[in-house]
């Protein structure tokens, strides 16, 4: 028996200004599979996230919809929760960064940074919209690229040539909000002295907590020299007002990661969570510097700098524990293209649920996910072929081929022994290799090994032909033995697939008349046991269902 671990997992806080789409679902599914696997292994595991609720884009969107930002973000938070639930994402808590807990913690972190001498003041020049009376963030300025001259580019980087620059470098800039020509205006701001933690961060990012490609990429930051980081924004702004500077607000990326702590604090304070000793678990037990728990962040590659530089520096500066590891994934493309509404490749969670089982997306992503920072392509034809071949043709088909004989000829009772114990033990022996693949986030390898076992199980049934034996007088015992073997192999496949297919696994458990499968259950066969009537577990993906995605831009 492995010693029990206590694990906290976070997914990136979802920005509260749009719908959940295939990209959000990749990360949530990846983390949820890992949590379910850890729980099956007997570990205490919690998955938390929430809404990233602050920033100028949310303020402006709420204004456009004629509602307050508070109302808008809460509506979107509830909508996101419902979308994630449809894909069986088992969040223990889905909170919001606009919370009392997060405000208190953000002020505490800021005050500690000030006390350490890590907050410095600078006067900077920014673009200002004279009509809106608003300092313009990068995304709210458009103009011509100062490098290549491409038109209609945002204020931070050029999508044409890839150059990065300051908004003030744009040629012929204009406000993306009003279209007005912005003016230059000075303002005093507050910066976190990230350079104070350069040595620590350089060592920590090379310590194995990140994928090697990420740690190598971050070396560019250290070679260029870590810059002080602006943690303030001018009013009007939706966020937390700084306690000592009226009219100034914390930049969203200061309070957003602190939202992880706040979400977990909200969780443990509103629900009684007991330790193995029966004591009430506190947030401090997970976040203090000497915590014996494990902490893992699942994030996309676009926000790695915030999580692997700014966030650990803040944690270090304020005597909080550091992440055990940060797992970074790539983006989702659709049929080889970047998701785009105009091209009809922008698929929301709601659109997907209209026609296709959400577990199918979990399986498809799992079949492609590894522990490298690689983009995942959702290809319509590949998706339907994989689901129909693997899940319907191999996995579910195994049960349907055997269940009828056991029900009709043996009153639902399995035999008292296996027909091929060596084959069963071969399936059992695969448990640790599959577990290792799950643990290392190499889900594609786990799926591949499981499907190889499914092939062997179906080959066994093809070889022994219970349908033929059932027609022969005196071969009843052989039919029962062979079908009992087949259903035991199906049970092991179900166990191995359960982190990916939790709903189908639950239905299979009802059919097999067993309690919830744990990882150690692989060691003992199901013999001399009554099963229930088999009901179809999955349906094939049809061309008509796939055709629905051709109109996702409607």
């Amino acid at each position: 028996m492995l010693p029990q671990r206590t694990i906290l997992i976070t997914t990136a806080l979802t920005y509260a200004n749009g719908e959940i789409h295939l990209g959000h679902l990749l990360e949530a599914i990846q983390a949820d599979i890992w949590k379910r696997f850890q729980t099956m292994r007997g570990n205490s595991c919690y998955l938390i996230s929430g809404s990233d609720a602050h920033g100028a884009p949310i303020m402006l969107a709420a204004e456009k919809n004629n509602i307050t930002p508070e109302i808008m973000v809460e509506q979107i938070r509830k909508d996101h929760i419902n979308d994630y639930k449809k894909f069986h994402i088992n969040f223990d808590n889905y909170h919001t960064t606009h919370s009392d807990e997060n405000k208190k913690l953000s002020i505490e972190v800021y005050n500690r940074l000030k006390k350490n001498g890590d907050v410095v003041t600078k006067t900077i020049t920014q673009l200002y919209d004279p009509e809106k009376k608003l300092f313009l963030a990068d995304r709210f300025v458009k103009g011509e690229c100062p490098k290549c001259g491409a038109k209609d580019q945002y204020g931070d980087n050029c999508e044409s040539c890839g150059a990065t620059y300051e908004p003030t470098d744009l040629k012929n800039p204009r406000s993306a909000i009003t279209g007005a020509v912005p003016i230059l205006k000075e303002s005093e701001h507050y910066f976190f002295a990230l350079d104070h933690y350069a040595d620590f961060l350089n060592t920590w990012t090379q310590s194995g907590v990140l994928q090697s490609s990420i740690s190598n990429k971050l070396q560019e930051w250290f070679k260029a020299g870590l810059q002080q980081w602006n943690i303030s924004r001018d009013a009007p702004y939706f966020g937390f007002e700084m306690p000592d500077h009226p009219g100034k607000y914390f930049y969203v990326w200061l309070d957003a990661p602190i939202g992880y702590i706040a979400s977990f604090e909200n969780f443990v304070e509103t629900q009684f969570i007991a330790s193995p000793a029966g004591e009430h678990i506190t947030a401090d037990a997970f976040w203090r510097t000497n915590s014996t728990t494990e902490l893992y962040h699942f994030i996309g590659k676009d926000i790695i700098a915030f999580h692997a530089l700014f966030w650990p520096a803040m944690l270090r500066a304020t005597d909080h524990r550091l992440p055990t590891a940060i797992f970074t994934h790539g983006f989702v493309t659709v049929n080889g293209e970047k998701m785009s509404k105009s091209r009809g490749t922008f698929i929301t969670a709601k659109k997907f649920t209209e026609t296709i089982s959400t577990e199918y997306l979990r399986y498809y992503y799992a079949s492609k996910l590894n522990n490298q920072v690689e983009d995942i392509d959702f290809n319509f034809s590949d998706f339907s072929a994989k689901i129909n071949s693997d899940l319907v043709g191999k996995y579910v088909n195994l049960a349907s081929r055997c269940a009828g004989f056991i029900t009709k000829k043996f009153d639902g009772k399995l035999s008292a022994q296996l027909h091929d114990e060596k084959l069963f033990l071969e399936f059992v022996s695969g448990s640790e290799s599959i577990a290792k693949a799950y643990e290392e986030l190499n889900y594609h390898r786990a799926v591949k090994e499981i499907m190889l076992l499914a092939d062997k199980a179906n080959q066994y049934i093809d070889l022994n032909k219970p349908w033929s034996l059932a027609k022969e007088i005196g071969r009843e015992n052989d039919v029962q033995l062979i079908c009992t073997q087949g259903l035991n192999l199906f049970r092991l496949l179900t166990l191995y697939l359960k982190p990916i297919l939790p709903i189908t696994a639950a239905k299979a458990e009802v059919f097999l008349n067993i309690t919830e499968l744990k990882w150690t259950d692989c060691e003992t066969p199901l013999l001399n046991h009554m099963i229930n009537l088999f009901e179809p577990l999955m349906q094939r993906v049809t061309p008509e269902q796939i055709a629905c995605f051709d109109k996702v831009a409607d």
Side-chain angles (χ1 to χ4, degrees), residues 22-31 329-332 365 369 376:
L22 290 187
H24 297 119
L25 290 169
L26 176 71
E27 179 172 298
I29 288 170
Q30 184 186 37
H329 61 80
F331 297 144
V332 173
Y365 276 165
L369 275 165
I376 301 293

Side-chain angles (χ1 to χ4, degrees), residues 470-485:
K471 299 174 184 178
E472 299 180 24
I473 298 174
R475 301 299 298 273
E476 292 83 2
N477 184 57
D478 291 332
V479 172
Q480 187 182 23
L481 284 169
I482 292 164
C483 291
T484 294
Q485 177 87 27

Side-chain angles (χ1 to χ4, degrees), residues 335-349:
N335 286 342
E337 296 182 347
K338 183 179 178 181
M339 281 198 291
S340 166
K341 291 181 180 179
S342 62
R343 293 173 182 166
T345 56
F346 188 87
I347 302 175
T348 64

Side-chain angles (χ1 to χ4, degrees), residues 229-367:
W229 175 43
N230 191 343
I231 58 171
S232 62
R233 290 296 184 269
D234 290 288
Y237 190 82
F238 180 56
F240 296 138
E241 192 169 24
M242 297 178 72
D244 50 356
H245 302 292
K248 298 286 184 181
Y249 290 77
F250 289 134
Y251 174 43
V252 59
W253 270 110
L254 180 125
D255 66 70
I258 298 170
Y260 295 137
I261 306 177
S263 182
F264 191 69
E265 185 174 285
N266 174 263
F267 171 58
V268 298
E269 291 303 319
T270 56
Q271 302 182 51
F272 180 83
I273 310 300
S275 70
E279 301 168 341
H280 188 190
I281 288 176
T282 64
D284 182 60
F286 280 74
W287 289 97
R288 63 174 181 253
T289 51
N290 61 345
S291 175
T292 57
T293 64
E294 301 173 40
L295 170 64
Y296 300 92
H297 295 311
F298 285 72
I299 62 166
K301 63 183 179 181
D302 55 327
I303 55 174
I304 187 60
F306 296 105
H307 283 80
L309 295 176
F310 306 143
W311 178 228
M314 286 166 55
L315 291 170
R316 176 81 164 194
T318 55
D319 292 332
H320 286 92
R321 60 92 45 79
L322 295 165
T324 307
I326 298 175
F327 299 136
T328 307
H329 61 80
F331 297 144
V332 173
T333 58
V334 176
N335 286 342
E337 296 182 347
K338 183 179 178 181
M339 281 198 291
S340 166
K341 291 181 180 179
S342 62
R343 293 173 182 166
T345 56
F346 188 87
I347 302 175
T348 64
K350 290 182 179 61
K351 183 66 182 179
F352 193 95
T353 60
E354 287 177 5
T355 56
I356 296 180
S357 167
T358 53
E359 278 195 309
Y360 292 174
L361 183 67
R362 292 175 64 97
Y363 181 80
Y364 188 68
Y365 276 165
S367 73

Side-chain angles (χ1 to χ4, degrees), residues 194-195 197-206 210 214-227 308-310 312:
L194 188 66
D195 51 320
Y197 297 88
D199 290 341
F200 153 69
L201 288 170
N202 199 357
T203 300
W204 185 77
T205 57
Q206 298 293 317
L210 307 169
I214 296 296
S215 57
N216 292 338
K217 181 69 176 175
L218 288 175
Q219 282 299 299
E220 296 175 7
W221 288 69
F222 296 106
K223 290 175 182 176
L226 294 185
Q227 302 299 306
L309 295 176
F310 306 143

Side-chain angles (χ1 to χ4, degrees), residues 15 52-61 69 73 97 140 233 236-240 250-252 255:
Y15 205 50
D52 185 0
H54 292 154
I58 287 174
M59 178 186 71
L60 295 169
V73 297
T97 57
F140 292 118
R233 290 296 184 269
Y237 190 82
F238 180 56
F240 296 138
F250 289 134
Y251 174 43
V252 59
D255 66 70

Side-chain angles (χ1 to χ4, degrees), residues 123-131 133-138 141 155 166-175 180-189 234:
T123 297
I124 61 174
T125 301
Q126 298 170 278
L127 293 176
Y128 183 83
D129 186 327
E131 292 185 16
K133 294 181 170 51
L134 177 76
F135 282 100
L136 296 170
D138 300 343
V141 186
E166 295 297 321
T168 50
D169 295 332
L170 277 176
K171 297 178 182 177
N172 300 316
R174 65 185 187 282
S175 167
V181 176
I183 61 174
L184 293 175
K185 189 173 181 179
E186 289 187 342
S187 179
E188 187 175 66
H189 279 274
D234 290 288

